[in-house]
Amino acid sequence: MKYMLLFAPVMLAACVSGVDAPSLLPRPAESADIDAPAPAATPPTPADAVQRATINKFLDQARRGDAAFMKALPSATVNAPPQSEAWIAAQNARSAVEVARAPTLDALSGLDTAIGDAIDKGQDTAALATARAEVQAIYDRQSARLDALIR
């Protein structure tokens, strides 16, 4: 019995499993000097040749899409009685107009992705934002013309 009491702590220690709890020691953020000045922000790097090429590619794509849209638009403006042959042809032409504007939407999406990539790389996004605004204006003009057809 005497020996049993000596081995009791050893037996109890064997029953305890390792606890995976967070440490209660102070964290580095808690011991940091809050009055220290913030590190200086690094200025974004200017647009490089790759970024300029990307901008030109998407602007050209949007302009080509706008030209195709404007070319397809007149055939979609036919007003005819519903279910007539002319009405069906106009509906098909409206579908063609939607397809013709797809490159503009693709350019807008591509510029959004390029802006995100530039932010991740720490590059300046001013030129990309300007190009995006131009493509957005083209897309908005196309949307207004399509909305006028539907009404």
Side-chain angles (χ1 to χ4, degrees):
M1 174 91 174
K2 204 188 233 185
Y3 293 110
M4 192 84 105
L5 290 175
L6 288 175
F7 290 115
V10 173
M11 286 190 230
L12 286 175
C15 295
V16 175
S17 63
V19 177
D20 188 25
S23 171
L24 297 178
L25 295 173
R27 290 163 183 77
E30 295 170 345
S31 61
D33 183 14
I34 60 173
D35 294 327
T42 57
T45 58
D48 58 357
V50 174
Q51 191 181 78
R52 285 191 298 276
T54 301
I55 290 169
N56 290 335
K57 178 183 91 166
F58 287 128
L59 283 175
D60 289 344
Q61 180 180 348
R63 290 174 184 145
R64 282 193 315 272
D66 191 41
F69 175 85
M70 296 304 288
K71 184 178 178 182
L73 190 63
S75 59
T77 59
V78 174
N79 288 328
Q83 308 304 321
S84 68
E85 288 296 322
W87 180 82
I88 292 170
Q91 296 303 314
N92 288 336
R94 287 181 184 151
S95 296
V97 168
E98 283 286 346
V99 170
R101 94 189 266 218
T104 305
L105 185 58
D106 291 343
L108 194 59
S109 175
L111 283 168
D112 286 341
T113 302
I115 289 172
D117 292 344
I119 289 170
D120 289 344
K121 293 176 183 175
Q123 294 177 333
D124 188 21
T125 60
L128 286 165
T130 301
R132 190 196 182 286
E134 182 178 336
V135 174
Q136 183 69 50
I138 292 170
Y139 183 77
D140 290 343
R141 186 176 65 246
Q142 291 172 351
S143 295
R145 292 197 173 162
L146 279 176
D147 289 345
L149 286 179
I150 295 170
R151 291 180 189 171

